[in-house]
């Protein structure tokens, strides 16, 4: 960026791919928002929703890691406690590219709402589990939210 105060920071491009060759290309200019411009309430609500989702995801991961020894003991999980974290990591690695593609195809809002719903279902399964296998299945379902 130039430090020249008279430098124009706007971006200009031309539409060269027109359907009608007789029509001249159209030019469009995009200027950055001024420093004094305030954000709308919908921006702040969306931003707050994303922050809350990120916080809940981090809280979920931290709480399970701390409580896992007690949970494993209550469910007589034995050596299966390793699969709680492994299923979470494997499902996270599998769903991350897929959720990005879904966001490209359907938009970010519907994908985020679907992912929050899947997290709710996975958390309900994990919370109501009576066996380690059910807990592992629930954790793999709640992974979609952290992606």
């Amino acid at each position: 960026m130039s430090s020249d105060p008279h430098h124009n920071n706007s971006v200009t491009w031309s539409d060269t791919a027109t359907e009608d060759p007789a029509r001249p290309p159209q030019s469009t200019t995009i200027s950055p928002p001024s420093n004094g411009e305030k954000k709308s309430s919908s921006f702040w609500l969306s931003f707050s929703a994303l922050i809350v989702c990120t916080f809940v995801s981090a809280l979920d991961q931290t709480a399970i890691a701390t409580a896992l020894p007690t949970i494993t003991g209550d469910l007589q999980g034995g050596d299966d406690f390793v699969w709680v974290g492994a299923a979470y990591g494997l499902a996270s690695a599998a769903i991350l590219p897929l959720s990005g593609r879904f966001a490209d195809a359907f938009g970010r809002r519907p994908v985020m709402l679907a992912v929050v719903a899947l997290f709710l279902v996975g958390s309900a399964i994990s919370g109501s589990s009576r066996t380690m296998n059910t807990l592992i299945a629930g954790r793999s379902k709640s992974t979609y939210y952290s992606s």
Side-chain angles (χ1 to χ4, degrees):
M1 300 244 2
S2 173
S3 61
D4 181 15
H6 303 290
H7 180 72
N8 186 359
N9 288 332
S10 63
V11 177
T12 304
W13 75 85
S14 295
D15 179 18
T16 57
T18 59
E19 292 180 15
D20 185 10
R23 193 181 88 189
Q26 296 177 349
S27 180
T28 305
T29 303
I30 299 175
S31 299
S34 65
N35 291 340
E37 192 174 314
K38 289 192 172 200
K39 304 282 186 192
S40 67
S41 62
S42 64
F43 169 82
W44 289 113
L45 286 172
S46 300
F47 183 73
S48 298
L50 289 174
I51 294 297
V52 167
C53 288
T54 303
F55 174 73
V56 169
S57 175
L59 185 66
D60 175 59
Q61 293 175 23
T62 305
I64 286 295
T66 305
L68 191 56
T70 305
I71 294 169
T72 304
D74 288 348
L75 298 177
Q76 290 88 30
D79 293 335
D80 288 341
F81 75 93
V82 174
W83 282 105
V84 175
Y88 195 84
L90 288 170
S92 178
I95 198 65
L96 191 57
L98 188 61
S99 64
R101 281 307 218 178
F102 283 158
D104 289 343
F106 303 113
R108 291 182 300 261
R109 181 181 293 170
V111 171
M112 186 67 171
L113 292 174
V115 164
V116 169
L118 284 172
F119 176 76
L120 178 67
V121 169
S123 294
I125 291 169
S126 296
S128 65
S129 63
R130 303 268 184 226
T131 65
M132 282 300 286
N133 291 338
T134 310
L135 176 64
I136 292 167
R139 289 294 291 162
S140 68
K141 295 287 184 259
S142 66
T143 297
Y144 301 127
Y145 181 68
S146 69
S147 300

